[in-house]
Amino acid sequence: MLSRTAAALVPLFGRLTVTLDGDAALAPGSIVAANHTSLSDPAVVLAALRRVGVEPVVMAAAGLWRVPLLGRALTHGGHVPVHRADPRAARCLEDAAAALARGRLVLIYGEGGIPDFESATETPPHRFRSGLARLAAATGAPVVPLGQAGARRLMSGGGPRQFANLASAPLRRPGLRVHIGAPVRLTGDLPTATAQARRAVTAAWLTATGRADEPSRLVMTPSRLRPATAPRSAPAASSRRT
């Protein structure tokens, strides 16, 4: 239900573009690792993933389960609450591993939180926590890096400013860009694997922001995927508004 709702609402607030690396794959039992910049980017990411036929299990802050209606939807969808600094903290990785074993894709935010700054400026992914690498090591699941940019133009700043930005978004129609990279297998110890995951997500984020020159495959419409390889001479990844 969350994925369907996001797919319906996000295009009302901005112009969503989704691109993929030529060898991107979202196989059952994969971990999708995304950068986290705003309260609005989970909706953007869910809408983008549904556009390519994926409705993941989301690892999210446990406090969201206390929000009326949202908590019920999270429980109904089998999403995973993350309890920080709590004896139940380890259980979230067990629940995520069980979802992967069932063939679900699991969406995780490696940073574990939103960066603390006021402006809508795009910044690279911040330091990753070890949970992503621990989940990958425990399950052997591939990690699909996902970079998103533009969500801070929907919501950023302090509380009143965030909601003012969101209220004006349908008029401003900011560009919302999501890029999905090729899956990687994390190797080495936890710090090494964590750094590897962050590099992969950063590369996807750079492509989403238009700062990389890797060819990409374009998703044209929600209902019909039409892959197209960017010209080799193109200075940046090909993208088009959807």
Side-chain angles (χ1 to χ4, degrees), residues 39 118 154-168 172:
L39 290 174
E118 293 288 318
L154 291 179
M155 293 183 74
S156 60
R161 181 179 170 188
Q162 288 194 41
F163 292 102
N165 286 341
L166 186 63
S168 66
R172 294 183 289 112

Side-chain angles (χ1 to χ4, degrees), residues 56-122:
V57 167
V58 182
M59 298 184 69
L64 295 175
W65 270 253
R66 296 194 294 269
V67 178
L69 297 181
L70 176 59
R72 183 179 300 178
L74 288 166
T75 299
H76 181 74
H79 301 289
V80 177
V82 178
H83 298 270
R84 297 192 181 95
D86 186 285
R88 297 168 290 178
R91 181 178 172 183
C92 67
L93 293 182
E94 297 173 0
D95 291 343
L100 292 169
R102 295 193 301 269
R104 297 294 303 274
L105 283 85
V106 172
L107 172 62
I108 183 172
Y109 287 94
E111 294 149 291
I114 300 171
D116 184 19
F117 65 97
E118 293 288 318
S119 77
T121 304
E122 293 292 335

Side-chain angles (χ1 to χ4, degrees), residues 1 60 62 79 106 128 151 179 198 218:
M1 185 174 72
H79 301 289
V106 172
F128 274 25
H179 182 77
R198 184 185 178 195
L218 176 67

